[in-house]
Amino acid sequence: MAINHDRNVDVESESQDPEGDGPPRGFKRFREFVRRYRLLNTTWQIGVFTVGATVLVAGLVMMVTPGPGWVAIFVGLAILATEFAWAQTALHKAKQAAAKAKEKALDPRVRKRNQIIAVVFGLLVGAAVTAYLIIYGFNLPWNTDLMAVWE
């Protein structure tokens, strides 16, 4: 479902943006021109959907591969939210969830617990590496007897 845009917008009141918070005047005039024609508006929305969905899917892929997954997901939702109401709702809910996660992560009790877990995990990994080296030794690949076979 697309956002209902008012087709009867006064161009003079639209071009006067004293604070400069919104998009540039030229872009507003362009969007109003596109909105006047159904085919152009549909094409514009298909383009926005394609770009936004591509960035969103790339973000989802980057959740399991190296890359800034969350950033791409938020950017994809923001692109989609420029034209679609459902994306505005999803972006709003994602922002609220991010704010909750931030508050939870900055809670001193949770933070101290996470630090203790990280230190204990680091000590366990260090002990496992030390045990491996004691049991199997530390042989560098270039210090092996395999070179004698080739001579």
Side-chain angles (χ1 to χ4, degrees), residues 27 30-31 34 40-49 83:
F27 182 73
F30 170 74
R31 283 300 294 136
V34 169
L40 285 176
N41 193 35
T42 303
T43 305
W44 177 266
Q45 287 180 341
I46 289 171
V48 168
F49 179 80
E83 290 295 320

Side-chain angles (χ1 to χ4, degrees), residues 15-148:
S15 64
Q16 297 171 355
D17 192 8
E19 297 177 11
D21 290 339
R25 287 183 283 173
F27 182 73
K28 287 181 180 180
R29 286 189 301 215
F30 170 74
R31 283 300 294 136
E32 286 304 316
F33 175 78
V34 169
R35 284 190 188 114
R36 280 189 215 119
Y37 300 97
R38 187 177 189 106
L39 181 63
L40 285 176
N41 193 35
T42 303
T43 305
W44 177 266
Q45 287 180 341
I46 289 171
V48 168
F49 179 80
T50 303
V51 171
T54 301
V55 173
L56 186 64
V57 168
L60 292 173
V61 168
M62 284 188 272
M63 292 299 291
V64 294
T65 62
W70 286 113
V71 173
I73 289 172
F74 283 126
V75 169
L77 282 175
I79 291 170
L80 290 170
T82 61
E83 290 295 320
F84 302 103
W86 59 267
Q88 285 180 343
T89 304
L91 183 62
H92 180 68
K93 288 181 181 179
K95 284 181 180 178
Q96 286 179 336
K100 265 186 185 177
K102 177 184 169 188
E103 288 175 14
K104 188 175 179 182
L106 294 178
D107 182 20
R109 290 178 290 164
V110 173
R111 191 171 178 189
K112 183 162 181 105
R113 183 198 66 200
N114 290 344
Q115 288 174 343
I116 292 171
I117 290 172
V119 167
V120 168
F121 184 73
L123 291 173
L124 288 174
V125 168
V129 168
T130 304
Y132 177 84
L133 292 175
I134 289 172
I135 293 171
Y136 295 107
F138 186 70
N139 293 329
L140 296 174
W142 52 84
N143 289 340
T144 61
D145 292 334
L146 293 178
M147 299 303 277

